[in-house]
């Protein structure tokens, strides 16, 4: 099995309906993924999202978010 722990996972639109559903879906499966980097609009930047017992901060989207990303 390929280790994905060090791969950058980017979720754009993390505070919307689809984004929050993707976060909950990732939590349900034991995929051994690193914590995703969460992005949304300027209005949602700074919001906190729980992911596997960890509090993640949503960042304002910037095209550089795709740099070195494994999955977006």
């Amino acid at each position: 099995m390929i280790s994905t722990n060090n791969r950058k996972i980017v979720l754009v639109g993390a505070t919307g309906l689809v984004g929050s559903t993707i976060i909950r879906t990732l939590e349900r499966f034991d995929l051994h993924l690193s914590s995703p980097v969460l992005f949304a609009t300027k209005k949602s930047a700074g919001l906190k999202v729980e992911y596997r017992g960890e509090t993640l901060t949503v960042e304002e989207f910037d095209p550089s978010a795709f740099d070195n990303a494994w999955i977006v």
Side-chain angles (χ1 to χ4, degrees):
M1 177 166 79
I2 298 172
S3 172
T4 56
N5 287 334
N6 297 326
R7 304 214 184 183
K8 182 177 174 185
I9 309 296
V10 174
L11 180 56
V12 179
T15 59
L17 179 60
V18 173
S20 60
T21 300
I22 291 171
I23 291 168
R24 299 290 85 80
T25 301
L26 289 173
E27 287 181 313
R28 290 178 53 206
F29 296 97
D30 188 20
L31 300 175
H32 303 287
L33 297 173
S34 61
S35 296
V37 181
L38 307 178
F39 289 94
T41 62
K42 184 176 186 174
K43 182 175 117 179
S44 296
L47 291 176
K48 306 293 184 191
V49 174
E50 293 295 317
Y51 177 77
R52 294 188 172 181
E54 182 179 359
T55 301
L56 304 177
T57 302
V58 177
E59 301 175 38
E60 182 178 353
F61 176 73
D62 182 290
S64 66
F66 302 129
D67 294 349
N68 301 311
W70 183 56
I71 296 176
V72 178

